[in-house]
Amino acid sequence: MSRFRTLPKVELHLHAEGTLEPELAFALARRNGIELPFASEAELRAAYDFTDLQSFLDLYYATTAVLWTRRDFDDLLWAYLQRSAEQGLQHVEVFFDPQAHTVRGVAFTDIVDGLGDALTRARTELGITGGLIMCFLRDRPVTEAARTLDEAATRLDALLGVGLDSAEVGFPPGPFAEVFARAAQLGLRRVAHAGEEAPASSVLEALDTLGVERIDHGVRALDDPHLVERLVREEIPLTVCPLSNLRLRVVDDLARHPLPAMLAAGLKVSLHSDDPAYFGGYVGDTFDAVARSLGLDDETAALLSRNAVAGSFATAERKTELLTAIERWLTGPR
Ligand code: HPA
Ligand code: ZN
């Protein structure tokens, strides 16, 4: 059993669609009368051999097409929550990609209501808190993002914030500045993927043009010492996903992942799973993989969890509760 199983964990970088395991994909395809372009679960799993972010996204959007109803989105996230509860998950801020569904004809409200149903149940049955972060697809037109924000404006009760994801190279953050400004006016928190495949300058651009409070990935920030200094000074959280970086070949070996360098630089790094169904591990598995490849003592594991709590959008009361639980893990009997 994992040494870190009972360490309280917070997921800040988790795509709902990236939790779709092959078994559920086929079950939903059957339920909705959809043909998946794979003969079996094993054949689908065998396709998880990615060469870069785009090769993953092609498969991710193809399997996402099995999701249609409020119940589908509920089942999807509930399966993730149950599995992650066993790995010590306490709080999760869930990314989702409404445009991947609304362009197919799925109703925006069915997506947020279904995901919301699972989060409500998680709170009462599993003690897991959390919320939803709606991501705009950066490789689709800005006008589509603006229309998606219009829909979100009618359901602000269901959302914590907005994010930016999908293909990064060739799709800089700048054009989304107005959409993000309006999201802020609506009271939504702001985050963005940056510095995953694109260089450090994309992290800087996300900070300056979108006003984001967290950077998702940000591993390439290390290439720019001035940027690192700013991220440290402004205590900008970086949500790092080592298994994702390995499977999408951002790094060629987990043992050479920049996580230790990022920690040594004083960056506010935390550990997350990104798309656990595709990248070979949930949040607890991620701690274990880092421990195996890079070494991870209890103090550093607790620091990574503490950074996630500090960088989260949880209430001050919930943050205190989680920080207390982490200290109890670190100092008490397991
Ligand atoms: N990067 C960009 N977009 C994504 C990712 C990612 O790691 N996962 C799901 N959408
Ligand atoms: Zn991501």
Side-chain angles (χ1 to χ4, degrees), residues 184-195:
Q185 280 166 6
L186 291 169
L188 293 166
R189 313 296 294 259
R190 290 167 289 173
V191 302
H193 283 55

Side-chain angles (χ1 to χ4, degrees), residues 18-331:
T19 70
L20 181 59
E21 293 283 352
E23 293 71 23
L24 184 58
F26 274 88
L28 294 181
R30 277 191 297 275
R31 190 155 97 189
N32 293 324
I34 291 163
E35 192 82 37
L36 274 169
F38 298 92
S40 66
E41 290 154 21
E43 197 178 287
L44 172 55
R45 214 178 275 281
Y48 293 3
D49 182 19
F50 311 115
T51 50
D52 57 11
L53 175 58
Q54 189 61 56
S55 66
F56 156 69
L57 290 171
D58 292 343
L59 185 64
Y60 168 92
Y61 291 125
T63 51
T64 284
V66 301
L67 295 159
W68 272 97
T69 66
R70 174 172 179 166
R71 186 174 151 216
D72 295 344
F73 288 94
D74 181 3
D75 289 349
L76 172 72
L77 193 57
W78 180 242
Y80 160 80
L81 289 160
Q82 282 178 295
R83 200 184 268 239
S84 297
E86 290 166 15
Q87 298 193 3
L89 182 71
Q90 294 289 329
H91 179 84
V92 56
E93 299 181 359
V94 180
F95 292 146
F96 68 108
D97 293 328
Q99 289 157 273
H101 315 296
T102 53
V103 295
R104 298 183 286 113
V106 178
F108 182 84
T109 49
D110 284 344
I111 308 167
V112 295
D113 287 341
L115 298 174
D117 289 343
L119 286 177
T120 301
R121 189 169 170 202
R123 184 164 200 136
T124 53
E125 294 185 26
L126 305 172
I128 295 172
T129 52
L132 299 177
I133 297 179
M134 173 181 103
C135 290
F136 302 112
L137 303 186
R138 66 203 308 158
D139 51 354
R140 295 193 62 93
V142 174
T143 48
E144 196 178 287
R147 276 201 303 278
T148 304
L149 185 60
D150 289 340
E151 295 206 70
T154 68
R155 293 304 314 275
L156 291 175
D157 59 303
L159 299 172
L160 276 180
V162 295
L164 187 68
D165 68 1
S166 205
E168 189 183 14
V169 175
F171 300 99
F176 293 87
E178 253 180 59
V179 176
F180 269 66
R182 205 172 129 240
Q185 280 166 6
L186 291 169
L188 293 166
R189 313 296 294 259
R190 290 167 289 173
V191 302
H193 283 55
E196 179 184 15
E197 281 190 342
S201 56
S202 71
V203 174
L204 197 60
E205 188 177 333
L207 292 172
D208 288 341
T209 66
L210 307 182
V212 293
E213 300 167 72
R214 295 197 300 246
I215 293 291
D216 298 309
H217 292 298
V219 286
R220 296 205 50 195
L222 279 182
D223 297 340
D224 177 351
H226 286 110
L227 174 63
V228 170
E229 198 183 296
R230 174 173 170 188
L231 293 169
V232 170
R233 186 169 13 96
E234 296 182 9
E235 300 187 15
I236 307 284
L238 303 178
T239 64
V240 172
C241 308
L243 289 175
S244 167
N245 296 153
L246 180 67
R247 298 298 284 269
L248 301 187
R249 309 206 189 169
V250 169
V251 298
D252 58 7
D253 184 346
L254 218 46
R256 280 197 288 276
H257 192 279
L259 178 74
M262 296 175 91
L263 283 167
L267 291 163
K268 294 287 180 197
V269 182
S270 53
L271 274 192
H272 310 287
S273 65
D274 207 2
D275 300 283
Y278 295 91
F279 300 152
Y282 286 71
V283 68
D285 305 318
T286 302
F287 275 78
D288 290 340
V290 165
R292 274 194 306 275
S293 297
L294 295 162
L296 185 61
D297 57 34
D298 290 355
E299 284 72 20
T300 309
L303 171 68
L304 290 164
S305 258
R306 248 187 254 121
N307 284 349
V309 173
S312 78
F313 301 143
T315 62
E317 191 185 10
R318 181 62 171 150
K319 283 188 180 184
T320 303
E321 205 171 271
L322 291 168
L323 290 173
T324 305
I326 293 166
E327 290 325 293
R328 217 181 298 127
W329 177 86
L330 189 58
T331 55

